[in-house]
Amino acid sequence: YPEDLIKLKYTNHVTGRLAQRGIGIECIPSLVRVTKDNVYCGKTEDNKTLCSVVVRLKYTSKRNLFLCFNPRDGGLKTLWFKEK
């Protein structure tokens, strides 16, 4: 797992999805730490290096936020919410 916080870079897809839901970009974290406790799933290259990861974060007491991004460059591919 990367030791440092990862600065997320929002793609057009992500900003479009947020606009569809009426959610501002300021409601989504700009920095994320990848830990064994918040990884929902991930893809690796050579079975060692993470190239894509989905983390689950608490958004509200009733909803989780899932962020799918590249941990090397912080490119946020997509996001979704799920009721607990």
Side-chain angles (χ1 to χ4, degrees):
Y1 301 99
E3 293 182 13
D4 296 329
L5 289 169
I6 297 170
K7 182 169 175 54
L8 298 177
K9 299 174 187 167
Y10 305 110
T11 61
N12 290 336
H13 172 76
V14 169
T15 54
R17 296 287 289 180
L18 289 172
Q20 287 174 346
R21 293 181 172 103
I23 299 171
I25 198 81
E26 65 279 354
C27 296
I28 305 302
S30 59
L31 297 170
V32 175
R33 185 177 310 275
V34 178
T35 68
K36 66 179 181 177
D37 295 327
N38 70 2
V39 170
Y40 181 71
C41 63
K43 282 188 188 177
T44 61
E45 293 176 351
D46 65 23
N47 290 326
K48 293 180 184 177
T49 308
L50 280 173
C51 61
S52 180
V53 66
V54 176
V55 296
R56 177 180 52 216
L57 305 172
K58 181 179 177 182
Y59 189 71
T60 66
S61 62
K62 297 182 180 181
R63 296 172 91 188
N64 284 325
L65 169 63
F66 292 81
L67 302 171
C68 177
F69 60 93
N70 181 332
R72 288 181 279 183
D73 67 6
L76 184 58
K77 299 173 185 179
T78 192
L79 59 87
W80 66 93
F81 296 92
K82 188 172 181 181
E83 301 295 321
K84 292 184 179 179

